[in-house]
Amino acid sequence: MPADAPPSATRHRPAVAAPRIRQVVLKVHSRCNLACDYCYVYQHADQDWRARPRVMGPGTVRRVADRLAAHVARHGTDRLRVVLHGGEPLLAGLTVLDRTVRTLRAAMPSGVMVDVAMQTNGLLLDEAALDLCHTHGIDVGVSVDGDRAANDRHRRHADGRGSFDEVAAALRLLSRPEHQARYAGLLCTVDLANDPIAVYEGLREFDPPRLDLLLPHGNWTAPPPGRHPDDPATPYADWLIAVFDRWYAETPRRTGIRLFESVIALLLGGRSGTQALGAAEPDVMTIETDGTIEGTDTLKTTTASAMRTGFDVFRHSIDEALRHPSLAGRPTGTAALAPACRACPVVDVCGGGLYAHRFRDGAGFVHPSVYCRDLLRLIGHVRTVVTADLAALRRRVTAASVPTPAAQP
Amino acid sequence: MADHDQPPIPRTVGTALVQLGDVPLADLLAGAGDGVLAHVLGSLVAEGEPGRPGDVSAFESSF
Ligand code: SF4
């Protein structure tokens, strides 16, 4: 069981009005046992991983824990989420993961809850790994791109072998009733070459509680595959709409799709659950195996220098690092948006898209998303479907509440 | 995710592009069944509950 005290225990009042973090991506292992050809860690601009230690050592973990503890105490935060990440986090070994989680939790002030999650490719996810996840309450997200054909298009071993059989075995294990409590969901990267319905149905076979559909990383300087910035075609919207229509028509709801549920929630005036929509606040702090502090990982797809804060847990506090432009120091809200976005009829839903997708070399991030046309079309489609569904629901609810006229004598 | 020490953002801050209309959200939810719309309406109701984190997902920062 988690060693955290309940959140009702000692609380700390915020002492300062300053940015704080609630989520940290901890790179516990810097290498991977797959060689996916689209991976931002190994295939994109930033190649710093080559110089980093493979595993985050115990001294670094202790320093991370102390820095985070000081940060949450300073800000009166009572909950922190840590995502064990890599490379492939399970390559670090279960002993290292166990020690890491214990060290983090032991350092926290009384009353601070540390939620721990892990994002894995699933290849090493076995009963022993799941035992550890149950012991510490670690929620597991697995990366898989759909059915065999879709998954093995990119998610391969270094020798070219596909990884589908291994990840499918792991997912059959994770979806067993005794492990369901730890099953956070699946992460799938969209590829236009894959059939959207086959991908959706392939993922649904694994009974995920939630799906994340990620648009491939890209920007105005390095456009995503098939997305030509000046082309009016909307191939990604077309792909996503095919999945949306299939998913939305299922009753009862079979699984959640974070992107679509965020669009619907934002259309109705609610909040986004994804960094890809709704002008999300600066995202996630990343800590590398050597203790280097960086901003959101997705910025690695832009330029090597965009991510580099120059900060590390040995010399700098979390608050110092947060001031960097790749973290809370960057413009947010409407100030961060391009004039075209500010004037856009769907800006309250789209929010300009994922920050990394707005990048243009030499001109920064003040642009619409490179996926602008796709986002506009997707949001318009969801809006049409939800408007009609809501109108029908209103009619049903109103009709049901109208009292039946008394029978005439 | 960075979070600024500012007053909690009221749920009405986002301009709703689709209006719920004059039927109360709770009534809509009660009649919505168990499809996707019902689930999202439920999450809108839950947003107002204390202790519920409004975090975006850190999972999706990865592949
Ligand atoms: S749809 Fe395009 S213009 Fe509108 S907010 Fe999104 S990125 Fe900006």
Side-chain angles (χ1 to χ4, degrees), chain A residues 318-373:
Chain A
I318 300 291
D319 290 85
E320 283 175 283
L322 271 174
R323 292 185 208 116
H324 188 268
S326 70
L327 283 154
R330 76 162 163 86
T332 59
T334 48
L337 296 178
C341 292
R342 275 185 252 149
C344 174
V346 301
V347 68
D348 284 300
V349 177
C350 176
L354 190 77
Y355 194 62
H357 293 166
R358 305 176 205 168
F359 179 78
R360 188 191 292 273
D361 212 3
F365 293 86
V366 188
H367 304 282
S369 167
V370 71
Y371 287 106
C372 175
R373 289 175 202 268

Short mmCIF file of all heavy atoms in Angstrom, two decimals, chain A residues 318-373:
data_model
loop_
_atom_site.label_atom_id
_atom_site.label_comp_id
_atom_site.label_asym_id
_atom_site.label_seq_id
_atom_site.Cartn_x
_atom_site.Cartn_y
_atom_site.Cartn_z
N ILE A 318 13.16 23.45 -7.60
CA ILE A 318 12.08 23.31 -8.58
C ILE A 318 11.55 24.69 -8.94
O ILE A 318 11.24 24.97 -10.10
CB ILE A 318 10.95 22.42 -8.00
CG1 ILE A 318 11.48 21.03 -7.64
CG2 ILE A 318 9.76 22.36 -8.96
CD1 ILE A 318 11.89 20.16 -8.78
N ASP A 319 11.46 25.57 -7.95
CA ASP A 319 10.92 26.92 -8.22
C ASP A 319 11.81 27.71 -9.17
O ASP A 319 11.31 28.41 -10.05
CB ASP A 319 10.73 27.68 -6.90
CG ASP A 319 9.59 27.09 -6.11
OD1 ASP A 319 9.82 26.11 -5.37
OD2 ASP A 319 8.46 27.57 -6.26
N GLU A 320 13.10 27.57 -9.01
CA GLU A 320 14.02 28.24 -9.95
C GLU A 320 13.79 27.72 -11.37
O GLU A 320 13.71 28.48 -12.33
CB GLU A 320 15.48 27.98 -9.55
CG GLU A 320 15.97 28.80 -8.39
CD GLU A 320 17.38 28.36 -8.00
OE1 GLU A 320 17.53 27.30 -7.35
OE2 GLU A 320 18.33 29.08 -8.33
N ALA A 321 13.69 26.40 -11.49
CA ALA A 321 13.53 25.80 -12.81
C ALA A 321 12.21 26.21 -13.46
O ALA A 321 12.14 26.40 -14.68
CB ALA A 321 13.62 24.29 -12.70
N LEU A 322 11.19 26.37 -12.63
CA LEU A 322 9.87 26.70 -13.18
C LEU A 322 9.85 28.03 -13.93
O LEU A 322 8.97 28.26 -14.76
CB LEU A 322 8.83 26.73 -12.06
CG LEU A 322 8.15 25.41 -11.76
CD1 LEU A 322 7.26 25.54 -10.54
CD2 LEU A 322 7.33 24.94 -12.95
N ARG A 323 10.79 28.91 -13.63
CA ARG A 323 10.78 30.22 -14.30
C ARG A 323 11.25 30.14 -15.75
O ARG A 323 11.12 31.09 -16.50
CB ARG A 323 11.66 31.21 -13.53
CG ARG A 323 11.07 31.56 -12.19
CD ARG A 323 11.88 32.64 -11.48
NE ARG A 323 11.72 32.48 -10.03
CZ ARG A 323 12.68 32.17 -9.18
NH1 ARG A 323 13.92 32.03 -9.61
NH2 ARG A 323 12.43 32.00 -7.91
N HIS A 324 11.79 28.99 -16.13
CA HIS A 324 12.33 28.87 -17.49
C HIS A 324 11.20 28.89 -18.54
O HIS A 324 10.10 28.40 -18.29
CB HIS A 324 13.12 27.55 -17.61
CG HIS A 324 13.85 27.43 -18.89
ND1 HIS A 324 13.30 26.81 -19.99
CD2 HIS A 324 15.08 27.87 -19.27
CE1 HIS A 324 14.18 26.86 -20.99
NE2 HIS A 324 15.26 27.50 -20.57
N PRO A 325 11.49 29.45 -19.73
CA PRO A 325 10.45 29.55 -20.77
C PRO A 325 9.89 28.21 -21.26
O PRO A 325 8.86 28.20 -21.92
CB PRO A 325 11.16 30.27 -21.92
CG PRO A 325 12.33 30.93 -21.32
CD PRO A 325 12.72 30.15 -20.10
N SER A 326 10.55 27.10 -20.97
CA SER A 326 9.96 25.83 -21.38
C SER A 326 9.01 25.30 -20.30
O SER A 326 8.36 24.29 -20.49
CB SER A 326 11.03 24.78 -21.65
OG SER A 326 11.64 24.38 -20.46
N LEU A 327 8.96 26.00 -19.16
CA LEU A 327 8.07 25.58 -18.08
C LEU A 327 7.08 26.71 -17.82
O LEU A 327 6.54 27.28 -18.75
CB LEU A 327 8.90 25.19 -16.85
CG LEU A 327 9.54 23.81 -17.02
CD1 LEU A 327 10.79 23.67 -16.21
CD2 LEU A 327 8.53 22.75 -16.60
N ALA A 328 6.84 27.04 -16.55
CA ALA A 328 5.81 28.03 -16.26
C ALA A 328 6.22 29.44 -16.68
O ALA A 328 5.40 30.36 -16.66
CB ALA A 328 5.49 28.00 -14.77
N GLY A 329 7.49 29.59 -17.09
CA GLY A 329 7.94 30.91 -17.53
C GLY A 329 7.47 31.29 -18.92
O GLY A 329 7.70 32.40 -19.38
N ARG A 330 6.79 30.37 -19.61
CA ARG A 330 6.35 30.72 -20.95
C ARG A 330 4.97 31.40 -20.90
O ARG A 330 4.22 31.22 -19.95
CB ARG A 330 6.31 29.48 -21.84
CG ARG A 330 5.14 28.53 -21.63
CD ARG A 330 5.02 27.65 -22.85
NE ARG A 330 4.25 26.46 -22.69
CZ ARG A 330 2.93 26.39 -22.84
NH1 ARG A 330 2.22 27.49 -23.03
NH2 ARG A 330 2.31 25.24 -22.72
N PRO A 331 4.66 32.19 -21.95
CA PRO A 331 3.35 32.84 -21.95
C PRO A 331 2.24 31.79 -21.98
O PRO A 331 2.40 30.72 -22.55
CB PRO A 331 3.34 33.64 -23.26
CG PRO A 331 4.71 33.58 -23.81
CD PRO A 331 5.43 32.46 -23.16
N THR A 332 1.14 32.10 -21.34
CA THR A 332 0.02 31.16 -21.30
C THR A 332 -1.27 31.89 -21.66
O THR A 332 -1.29 33.11 -21.77
CB THR A 332 -0.14 30.54 -19.90
OG1 THR A 332 -0.35 31.60 -18.97
CG2 THR A 332 1.07 29.75 -19.51
N GLY A 333 -2.32 31.14 -21.78
CA GLY A 333 -3.63 31.71 -22.07
C GLY A 333 -3.63 32.46 -23.39
O GLY A 333 -2.85 32.14 -24.30
N THR A 334 -4.44 33.47 -23.50
CA THR A 334 -4.56 34.18 -24.78
C THR A 334 -3.26 34.89 -25.15
O THR A 334 -2.97 35.07 -26.33
CB THR A 334 -5.71 35.19 -24.75
OG1 THR A 334 -5.58 35.96 -23.56
CG2 THR A 334 -7.06 34.52 -24.81
N ALA A 335 -2.45 35.26 -24.15
CA ALA A 335 -1.18 35.94 -24.44
C ALA A 335 -0.25 35.08 -25.27
O ALA A 335 0.60 35.57 -25.99
CB ALA A 335 -0.50 36.34 -23.13
N ALA A 336 -0.43 33.76 -25.17
CA ALA A 336 0.47 32.85 -25.89
C ALA A 336 -0.01 32.57 -27.30
O ALA A 336 0.70 31.94 -28.08
CB ALA A 336 0.56 31.53 -25.12
N LEU A 337 -1.22 33.03 -27.64
CA LEU A 337 -1.83 32.62 -28.90
C LEU A 337 -1.53 33.57 -30.05
O LEU A 337 -1.36 34.78 -29.85
CB LEU A 337 -3.35 32.52 -28.73
CG LEU A 337 -3.84 31.45 -27.76
CD1 LEU A 337 -5.36 31.50 -27.65
CD2 LEU A 337 -3.38 30.06 -28.19
N ALA A 338 -1.52 33.02 -31.23
CA ALA A 338 -1.37 33.83 -32.44
C ALA A 338 -2.64 34.65 -32.66
O ALA A 338 -3.72 34.23 -32.22
CB ALA A 338 -1.14 32.90 -33.63
N PRO A 339 -2.54 35.80 -33.35
CA PRO A 339 -3.75 36.59 -33.63
C PRO A 339 -4.84 35.75 -34.30
O PRO A 339 -6.02 35.90 -33.98
CB PRO A 339 -3.22 37.69 -34.55
CG PRO A 339 -1.77 37.82 -34.20
CD PRO A 339 -1.31 36.45 -33.80
N ALA A 340 -4.45 34.86 -35.20
CA ALA A 340 -5.47 34.03 -35.88
C ALA A 340 -6.23 33.17 -34.89
O ALA A 340 -7.44 32.96 -35.03
CB ALA A 340 -4.80 33.15 -36.94
N CYS A 341 -5.53 32.66 -33.89
CA CYS A 341 -6.20 31.83 -32.87
C CYS A 341 -7.11 32.69 -32.00
O CYS A 341 -8.24 32.29 -31.68
CB CYS A 341 -5.18 31.12 -31.99
SG CYS A 341 -4.23 29.87 -32.85
N ARG A 342 -6.62 33.86 -31.63
CA ARG A 342 -7.44 34.71 -30.76
C ARG A 342 -8.76 35.07 -31.44
O ARG A 342 -9.76 35.27 -30.78
CB ARG A 342 -6.67 35.98 -30.38
CG ARG A 342 -5.77 35.73 -29.17
CD ARG A 342 -5.10 37.00 -28.72
NE ARG A 342 -3.68 36.92 -29.06
CZ ARG A 342 -2.92 37.96 -29.36
NH1 ARG A 342 -3.43 39.17 -29.38
NH2 ARG A 342 -1.66 37.78 -29.65
N ALA A 343 -8.73 35.17 -32.76
CA ALA A 343 -9.95 35.53 -33.49
C ALA A 343 -10.76 34.31 -33.93
O ALA A 343 -11.79 34.45 -34.58
CB ALA A 343 -9.56 36.35 -34.73
N CYS A 344 -10.30 33.14 -33.57
CA CYS A 344 -10.90 31.90 -34.10
C CYS A 344 -12.20 31.58 -33.35
O CYS A 344 -12.25 31.67 -32.12
CB CYS A 344 -9.90 30.76 -33.93
SG CYS A 344 -10.57 29.16 -34.38
N PRO A 345 -13.23 31.14 -34.07
CA PRO A 345 -14.51 30.84 -33.40
C PRO A 345 -14.45 29.64 -32.46
O PRO A 345 -15.33 29.49 -31.62
CB PRO A 345 -15.47 30.57 -34.57
CG PRO A 345 -14.60 30.28 -35.75
CD PRO A 345 -13.32 31.03 -35.53
N VAL A 346 -13.43 28.78 -32.60
CA VAL A 346 -13.38 27.62 -31.70
C VAL A 346 -12.20 27.70 -30.72
O VAL A 346 -11.81 26.69 -30.14
CB VAL A 346 -13.34 26.28 -32.49
CG1 VAL A 346 -14.56 26.14 -33.38
CG2 VAL A 346 -12.05 26.13 -33.28
N VAL A 347 -11.68 28.89 -30.53
CA VAL A 347 -10.48 28.99 -29.68
C VAL A 347 -10.72 28.51 -28.26
O VAL A 347 -9.83 27.98 -27.61
CB VAL A 347 -9.92 30.44 -29.69
CG1 VAL A 347 -10.86 31.41 -29.00
CG2 VAL A 347 -8.52 30.48 -29.08
N ASP A 348 -11.95 28.65 -27.76
CA ASP A 348 -12.22 28.20 -26.39
C ASP A 348 -12.13 26.68 -26.25
O ASP A 348 -12.00 26.17 -25.15
CB ASP A 348 -13.59 28.69 -25.92
CG ASP A 348 -13.53 30.17 -25.57
OD1 ASP A 348 -12.75 30.53 -24.69
OD2 ASP A 348 -14.23 30.95 -26.23
N VAL A 349 -12.22 25.99 -27.36
CA VAL A 349 -12.07 24.54 -27.33
C VAL A 349 -10.64 24.17 -27.75
O VAL A 349 -9.94 23.44 -27.06
CB VAL A 349 -13.10 23.85 -28.27
CG1 VAL A 349 -12.88 22.34 -28.28
CG2 VAL A 349 -14.50 24.19 -27.81
N CYS A 350 -10.21 24.69 -28.85
CA CYS A 350 -8.91 24.31 -29.41
C CYS A 350 -7.75 24.84 -28.58
O CYS A 350 -6.80 24.12 -28.30
CB CYS A 350 -8.81 24.82 -30.84
SG CYS A 350 -7.20 24.50 -31.57
N GLY A 351 -7.84 26.13 -28.24
CA GLY A 351 -6.77 26.74 -27.47
C GLY A 351 -5.45 26.83 -28.23
O GLY A 351 -4.39 27.00 -27.62
N GLY A 352 -5.50 26.70 -29.55
CA GLY A 352 -4.26 26.78 -30.34
C GLY A 352 -3.54 25.45 -30.47
O GLY A 352 -2.48 25.37 -31.08
N GLY A 353 -4.12 24.39 -29.87
CA GLY A 353 -3.51 23.06 -29.98
C GLY A 353 -2.29 22.91 -29.09
O GLY A 353 -1.93 23.80 -28.31
N LEU A 354 -1.63 21.78 -29.22
CA LEU A 354 -0.44 21.47 -28.42
C LEU A 354 0.65 22.50 -28.67
O LEU A 354 0.92 22.84 -29.83
CB LEU A 354 0.05 20.06 -28.77
CG LEU A 354 1.13 19.49 -27.86
CD1 LEU A 354 0.50 19.01 -26.55
CD2 LEU A 354 1.84 18.32 -28.53
N TYR A 355 1.27 22.96 -27.62
CA TYR A 355 2.27 24.03 -27.73
C TYR A 355 3.35 23.67 -28.75
O TYR A 355 3.73 24.48 -29.60
CB TYR A 355 2.87 24.27 -26.34
CG TYR A 355 3.65 25.54 -26.20
CD1 TYR A 355 3.04 26.79 -26.38
CD2 TYR A 355 5.00 25.52 -25.87
CE1 TYR A 355 3.77 27.97 -26.24
CE2 TYR A 355 5.73 26.69 -25.72
CZ TYR A 355 5.11 27.91 -25.91
OH TYR A 355 5.82 29.06 -25.76
N ALA A 356 3.86 22.46 -28.69
CA ALA A 356 4.96 22.05 -29.59
C ALA A 356 4.54 22.08 -31.06
O ALA A 356 5.38 22.29 -31.93
CB ALA A 356 5.44 20.64 -29.22
N HIS A 357 3.26 21.90 -31.32
CA HIS A 357 2.78 21.88 -32.71
C HIS A 357 2.70 23.29 -33.32
O HIS A 357 2.42 23.43 -34.50
CB HIS A 357 1.39 21.24 -32.79
CG HIS A 357 1.40 19.78 -32.46
ND1 HIS A 357 0.25 19.06 -32.18
CD2 HIS A 357 2.43 18.89 -32.34
CE1 HIS A 357 0.56 17.80 -31.92
NE2 HIS A 357 1.88 17.68 -32.00
N ARG A 358 2.91 24.32 -32.50
CA ARG A 358 2.82 25.70 -33.02
C ARG A 358 4.17 26.24 -33.48
O ARG A 358 4.26 27.34 -34.00
CB ARG A 358 2.30 26.64 -31.91
CG ARG A 358 1.00 26.21 -31.30
CD ARG A 358 0.62 27.14 -30.16
NE ARG A 358 -0.25 26.48 -29.21
CZ ARG A 358 -0.55 26.95 -28.01
NH1 ARG A 358 -0.06 28.11 -27.61
NH2 ARG A 358 -1.34 26.28 -27.21
N PHE A 359 5.21 25.48 -33.28
CA PHE A 359 6.58 25.97 -33.46
C PHE A 359 6.94 26.18 -34.93
O PHE A 359 6.57 25.41 -35.80
CB PHE A 359 7.54 24.95 -32.84
CG PHE A 359 8.99 25.33 -32.97
CD1 PHE A 359 9.55 26.28 -32.14
CD2 PHE A 359 9.79 24.71 -33.92
CE1 PHE A 359 10.89 26.62 -32.25
CE2 PHE A 359 11.12 25.05 -34.04
CZ PHE A 359 11.67 26.00 -33.22
N ARG A 360 7.65 27.29 -35.17
CA ARG A 360 8.28 27.50 -36.48
C ARG A 360 9.70 27.97 -36.21
O ARG A 360 9.93 28.90 -35.43
CB ARG A 360 7.51 28.56 -37.28
CG ARG A 360 8.02 28.67 -38.72
CD ARG A 360 7.43 29.90 -39.42
NE ARG A 360 6.00 29.80 -39.65
CZ ARG A 360 5.44 29.23 -40.72
NH1 ARG A 360 6.20 28.69 -41.65
NH2 ARG A 360 4.14 29.21 -40.86
N ASP A 361 10.67 27.32 -36.84
CA ASP A 361 12.08 27.62 -36.59
C ASP A 361 12.36 29.10 -36.82
O ASP A 361 11.98 29.65 -37.86
CB ASP A 361 12.94 26.77 -37.53
CG ASP A 361 14.26 26.43 -36.89
OD1 ASP A 361 14.46 26.79 -35.71
OD2 ASP A 361 15.10 25.79 -37.56
N GLY A 362 12.97 29.72 -35.85
CA GLY A 362 13.34 31.13 -35.97
C GLY A 362 12.22 32.09 -35.62
O GLY A 362 12.44 33.29 -35.54
N ALA A 363 11.01 31.57 -35.45
CA ALA A 363 9.88 32.46 -35.17
C ALA A 363 9.11 32.04 -33.92
O ALA A 363 8.13 32.69 -33.56
CB ALA A 363 8.95 32.50 -36.37
N GLY A 364 9.52 30.97 -33.28
CA GLY A 364 8.92 30.60 -32.00
C GLY A 364 7.56 29.93 -32.11
O GLY A 364 7.30 29.20 -33.07
N PHE A 365 6.73 30.21 -31.10
CA PHE A 365 5.51 29.43 -30.91
C PHE A 365 4.22 30.23 -31.15
O PHE A 365 3.14 29.73 -30.88
CB PHE A 365 5.49 28.87 -29.49
CG PHE A 365 6.57 27.84 -29.24
CD1 PHE A 365 7.86 28.22 -28.85
CD2 PHE A 365 6.31 26.48 -29.40
CE1 PHE A 365 8.85 27.27 -28.63
CE2 PHE A 365 7.30 25.54 -29.18
CZ PHE A 365 8.57 25.93 -28.80
N VAL A 366 4.34 31.47 -31.62
CA VAL A 366 3.13 32.29 -31.77
C VAL A 366 2.52 32.05 -33.16
O VAL A 366 2.52 32.92 -34.03
CB VAL A 366 3.42 33.79 -31.51
CG1 VAL A 366 2.11 34.58 -31.47
CG2 VAL A 366 4.15 33.96 -30.21
N HIS A 367 2.03 30.84 -33.33
CA HIS A 367 1.37 30.45 -34.58
C HIS A 367 0.22 29.54 -34.20
O HIS A 367 0.25 28.90 -33.16
CB HIS A 367 2.32 29.63 -35.47
CG HIS A 367 3.59 30.33 -35.76
ND1 HIS A 367 3.69 31.32 -36.70
CD2 HIS A 367 4.82 30.20 -35.22
CE1 HIS A 367 4.93 31.77 -36.71
NE2 HIS A 367 5.64 31.11 -35.83
N PRO A 368 -0.76 29.42 -35.10
CA PRO A 368 -1.74 28.35 -34.89
C PRO A 368 -1.03 27.00 -34.94
O PRO A 368 0.11 26.91 -35.42
CB PRO A 368 -2.70 28.50 -36.07
CG PRO A 368 -2.49 29.90 -36.57
CD PRO A 368 -1.05 30.22 -36.29
N SER A 369 -1.69 25.98 -34.49
CA SER A 369 -1.14 24.63 -34.59
C SER A 369 -0.92 24.26 -36.05
O SER A 369 -1.68 24.65 -36.93
CB SER A 369 -2.13 23.64 -33.97
OG SER A 369 -1.78 22.33 -34.31
N VAL A 370 0.10 23.45 -36.30
CA VAL A 370 0.30 22.93 -37.66
C VAL A 370 -0.90 22.05 -38.05
O VAL A 370 -1.16 21.82 -39.22
CB VAL A 370 1.64 22.17 -37.75
CG1 VAL A 370 1.58 20.85 -36.98
CG2 VAL A 370 2.05 21.93 -39.19
N TYR A 371 -1.67 21.61 -37.05
CA TYR A 371 -2.90 20.83 -37.27
C TYR A 371 -4.15 21.70 -37.30
O TYR A 371 -5.26 21.19 -37.14
CB TYR A 371 -3.06 19.78 -36.17
CG TYR A 371 -2.11 18.62 -36.27
CD1 TYR A 371 -1.03 18.50 -35.39
CD2 TYR A 371 -2.28 17.62 -37.22
CE1 TYR A 371 -0.16 17.43 -35.47
CE2 TYR A 371 -1.42 16.55 -37.30
CZ TYR A 371 -0.36 16.45 -36.42
OH TYR A 371 0.49 15.37 -36.50
N CYS A 372 -4.00 23.00 -37.46
CA CYS A 372 -5.13 23.93 -37.35
C CYS A 372 -6.36 23.46 -38.14
O CYS A 372 -7.46 23.40 -37.60
CB CYS A 372 -4.67 25.31 -37.82
SG CYS A 372 -5.97 26.53 -37.88
N ARG A 373 -6.19 23.16 -39.40
CA ARG A 373 -7.36 22.81 -40.23
C ARG A 373 -8.02 21.53 -39.72
O ARG A 373 -9.24 21.39 -39.76
CB ARG A 373 -6.94 22.61 -41.68
CG ARG A 373 -6.55 23.90 -42.38
CD ARG A 373 -6.02 23.57 -43.78
NE ARG A 373 -5.18 24.61 -44.30
CZ ARG A 373 -5.61 25.63 -45.04
NH1 ARG A 373 -6.87 25.74 -45.32
NH2 ARG A 373 -4.77 26.53 -45.48
#
